[in-house]
Amino acid sequence: MASSGDEDDGLRRAIALSLLNSAASPELYSEASTGPQNWTDQSTQDLPVAPSTQPLGAMNRKAMEQERLARLAARKRRFSISPPPTQRRSEQADRPSKVLRLEGPTVHEIIDLDSPPAPRATVLTRSKQDARHNTEVCASSGLQYPRGIVKKTWAFGHPRANDIKLEEVLQKADLNIAVLSAFQWDVEWVMGKLDSRKTKMVFIMQAKEEALRAQYRRETATTPYLRLCFPPMPGQVNCMHSKLMLLFHPTYLRIAVPSANLLNFDWGETGIMENSVFLVDLPRLAEGAQQSKTDLTFFGKELLYFCEAMGLDKDIRDGVLKFDFANTSHLALVHTVGGSHYSNNMKRTGIVGLSRAVRALNLQTQDPVEIDFAASSIGSLNMEFLESIYLAASGDDLPVEKREADIKDRFRIYFPTHDTVAASTGGTQVLFSRSQKQAWAYVGSANISESAWGKAFFDKAKKAWKINCRNWECGVLIVVPPEELEAQPGKVVGMEVFKGHVECPFKYPAEKYAGRKPWFFMEREKRSAFAALAGDA
């Protein structure tokens, strides 16, 4: 039963929403329209403006109150797209926590009383990692991470050290457009992190069947500040696993690639921290300026390619080109585009795209490579696939050039035991690659499976190389600067080189399983991601 405080807060939110000025609401998908209208705000001044056809203020207060009561009945449930999260640690999620809830007309924000967020406009140098990677930080520009950084997700009740909250990632105070994607969602919780009076939203979500897409559109029909994007999922593609955020602010674009889904426990609100997030802030170009796709860095080109493949609207993609990618030349975006791909498209994605990214950053090597892969999910593995990962990490031109590789003592996979997961709710995916002269890490959504990285083979019917990818994935390749490596002749650099760049989520050297029980993901429930917004119990 909801408390009177919850009811009062919900009533205030419903009344405030009903009084919003309709002119502040952008266009959305509607059944009668041919597509979304262009959005405009402080971050995309030259995009055309279209009046709203379904202003939020048009909803009467009685209807809003009825929807509020329906939402209260479902407040204790967790909402996610298929497959939804497990119900592990429910007792921990329900326990009293030391938090302060800030009441407002549209948001609930959870604040850690022991360590309030840092002021947004200040230079953040709380750790050596911040200082090392972002020496060009300028308080006046608002750029906190101009060269990129990897941080842990915050966890309630834990000391703060190189971590970040979702609120600190989003920086909603001046957030104009938020493009969010994830595999699992708690939509009502996400909405509580944003201010719909200021921020237009694009949710990139999994919906394979047209019937489910139509359902999601119906359930958001009265949410005029929200667009939906459904990446193509033809044939054998069954998982939109990518996590990506494009956060448009007046003076900069923040690109974030987390391993966390959009769920409260993945972002630390139940006190567990096992996820990571890559962030980079790109400054806005001069007014009216726009970069050409051909002039972008490798990182920028692959980001635009991935956004277009997902079906992200052109006005959003054009908006990305209004920011300066110059400080991303040392990074590579690595993606997996669901479906079957030939020729140049094959070379850009999945495991073949990983090998291309390694070469693009001049990290290819014929020296022995040590691979350490931490995963929260493991598919059906075989030696052929593991050898392909190893060769891609070496920069071999897959799939044409494929040499023999002895990986038995050079490839280690880290996967949680049953006891580890019983005491946690998160998960992270990190690939560490080391040789005598190079060290880099992949941080992103891809686990160690052919579904995540794809399978490349020769199509005899079409007489061409082909890659089949069953998932959508996204990650970033982060390089340890050569000057920080203390290479010794004939020896691979140690894991300590990643300190200050990407935190290692496991002990090294690690213990073997030795008969311990692995974790199995089996508990599932199905429920619409937008049920709360639609008022369904």
Side-chain angles (χ1 to χ4, degrees):
M1 184 174 181
S3 67
S4 59
D6 287 337
E7 292 179 356
D8 291 343
D9 180 70
L11 180 58
R12 283 192 294 271
R13 180 170 59 177
I15 293 173
L17 287 173
S18 71
L19 295 176
L20 284 178
N21 188 330
S22 63
S25 300
E27 286 290 309
L28 81 162
Y29 282 105
S30 67
E31 297 302 320
S33 68
T34 57
Q37 302 295 318
N38 285 334
W39 279 353
T40 181
D41 60 8
Q42 295 177 357
S43 70
T44 51
Q45 288 288 350
D46 55 342
L47 296 179
V49 184
S52 175
T53 60
Q54 291 183 300
L56 199 59
M59 300 176 65
N60 63 58
R61 297 187 185 183
K62 180 179 179 181
M64 290 290 293
E65 176 63 5
Q66 290 173 341
E67 292 180 5
R68 182 188 70 82
L69 293 174
R71 286 196 301 271
L72 285 175
R75 185 177 294 272
K76 295 300 182 181
R77 297 187 183 181
R78 182 176 295 134
F79 319 116
S80 68
I81 60 175
S82 177
T86 65
Q87 300 304 307
R88 292 175 284 108
R89 302 285 291 176
S90 59
E91 69 279 5
Q92 183 179 26
D94 293 336
R95 72 186 180 189
S97 56
K98 185 182 177 183
V99 297
L100 172 66
R101 294 190 178 275
L102 300 184
E103 297 183 356
T106 61
V107 297
H108 296 157
E109 186 169 355
I110 297 179
I111 303 297
D112 182 357
L113 295 177
D114 295 327
S115 52
R120 201 192 75 63
T122 60
V123 180
L124 297 186
T125 55
R126 292 179 299 171
S127 68
K128 292 181 180 179
Q129 186 175 11
D130 283 6
R132 175 183 294 179
H133 290 280
N134 298 283
T135 55
E136 302 169 21
V137 173
C138 175
S140 61
S141 71
L143 297 183
Q144 293 178 332
Y145 311 118
R147 291 186 56 81
I149 196 169
V150 177
K151 285 182 169 288
K152 300 178 296 185
T153 53
W154 164 79
F156 176 75
H158 291 250
R160 301 208 64 180
N162 189 39
D163 65 354
I164 194 165
K165 301 179 182 182
L166 180 57
E167 292 87 348
E168 294 168 341
V169 174
L170 298 173
Q171 296 182 326
K172 71 177 181 182
D174 64 350
L175 178 59
N176 295 314
I177 298 176
V179 180
L180 308 177
S181 68
F183 175 49
Q184 295 174 330
W185 292 72
D186 181 337
V187 172
E188 192 173 30
W189 176 79
V190 173
M191 291 292 197
K193 303 295 182 182
L194 299 166
D195 187 344
S196 60
R197 299 168 301 181
K198 301 177 181 179
T199 305
K200 305 172 183 74
M201 309 170 199
V202 181
F203 289 177
I204 304 173
M205 309 185 77
Q206 170 171 311
K208 183 176 176 69
E209 304 299 333
E210 180 55 36
L212 184 58
R213 299 182 182 195
Q215 176 189 339
Y216 284 177
R217 291 191 182 109
R218 287 194 305 270
E219 292 173 344
T220 56
T222 57
T223 314
Y225 48 81
L226 174 65
R227 291 184 191 174
L228 302 180
C229 174
F230 303 114
M233 300 184 68
Q236 63 181 350
V237 182
N238 290 305
C239 185
M240 210 303 293
H241 196 246
S242 170
K243 290 96 176 171
L244 173 67
M245 299 181 182
L246 303 177
L247 306 171
F248 292 82
H249 294 266
T251 60
Y252 66 99
L253 169 69
R254 170 164 289 181
I255 300 170
V257 181
S259 64
N261 283 295
L262 288 169
L263 301 167
N264 67 339
F265 56 77
D266 264 21
W267 284 94
E269 292 188 5
T270 60
I272 302 299
M273 176 169 24
E274 286 189 69
N275 278 296
S276 58
V277 56
F278 166 84
L279 308 100
V280 64
D281 296 336
L282 310 183
R284 174 177 286 281
L285 296 170
E287 186 173 354
Q290 181 170 309
Q291 280 194 289
S292 167
K293 289 182 181 179
T294 58
D295 294 333
L296 291 172
T297 61
F298 183 90
F299 180 94
K301 289 177 180 177
E302 293 311 306
L303 175 66
L304 263 294
Y305 177 85
F306 187 60
C307 289
E308 186 171 357
M310 289 191 296
L312 199 59
D313 292 321
K314 187 176 184 299
D315 60 343
I316 300 295
R317 302 198 313 268
D318 289 346
V320 170
L321 293 171
K322 298 176 183 179
F323 298 87
D324 188 354
F325 280 80
N327 272 345
T328 64
S329 59
H330 61 297
L331 303 167
L333 189 85
V334 180
H335 52 71
T336 298
V337 174
S340 298
H341 311 284
Y342 294 87
S343 188
N344 289 333
N345 289 339
M346 176 196 70
K347 294 179 180 180
R348 299 183 76 160
T349 201
I351 194 170
V352 183
L354 173 62
S355 67
R356 176 171 168 264
V358 170
R359 295 193 302 277
L361 297 183
N362 295 316
L363 299 171
Q364 65 271 24
T365 181
Q366 294 293 309
D367 294 333
V369 173
E370 297 287 334
I371 301 293
D372 295 89
F373 202 135
S376 61
S377 176
I378 294 181
S380 178
L381 301 180
N382 56 64
M383 289 302 294
E384 181 182 6
F385 169 70
L386 296 179
E387 288 174 359
S388 295
I389 291 285
Y390 181 90
L391 295 177
S394 301
D396 285 34
D397 189 6
L398 299 179
V400 179
E401 296 180 5
K402 192 170 182 181
R403 56 188 169 90
E404 293 292 327
D406 183 8
I407 67 170
K408 182 179 179 181
D409 297 320
R410 300 192 180 278
F411 202 127
R412 289 160 294 279
I413 300 171
Y414 302 80
F415 185 72
T417 64
H418 173 82
D419 292 341
T420 297
V421 175
S424 68
T425 54
T428 190
Q429 294 78 239
V430 185
L431 187 162
F432 295 98
S433 175
R434 297 171 289 131
S435 63
Q436 294 182 33
K437 300 177 181 179
Q438 290 102 4
W440 56 266
Y442 164 92
V443 177
S445 66
N447 279 292
I448 186 163
S449 69
E450 282 189 352
S451 295
W453 292 99
K455 180 177 177 61
F457 60 96
F458 190 78
D459 188 332
K460 294 181 180 179
K462 294 192 175 182
K463 297 182 180 179
W465 285 98
K466 169 184 180 181
I467 187 169
N468 282 344
C469 303
R470 296 193 291 273
N471 288 9
W472 287 82
E473 308 281 359
C474 180
V476 178
L477 197 156
I478 299 108
V479 182
V480 178
E483 60 270 20
E484 296 186 18
L485 303 179
E486 297 181 1
Q488 299 181 19
K491 292 186 177 182
V492 174
V493 296
M495 285 291 293
E496 66 276 2
V497 300
F498 293 106
K499 186 176 181 179
H501 296 278
V502 179
E503 182 163 321
C504 183
F506 50 80
K507 294 180 180 180
Y508 185 88
E511 299 178 9
K512 294 185 178 181
Y513 252 70
R516 288 179 291 173
K517 181 182 177 181
W519 169 57
F520 293 96
F521 178 69
M522 292 182 292
E523 294 183 36
R524 302 187 177 190
E525 69 173 10
K526 293 193 175 183
R527 192 171 188 272
S528 167
F530 292 107
L533 295 183
D536 296 337

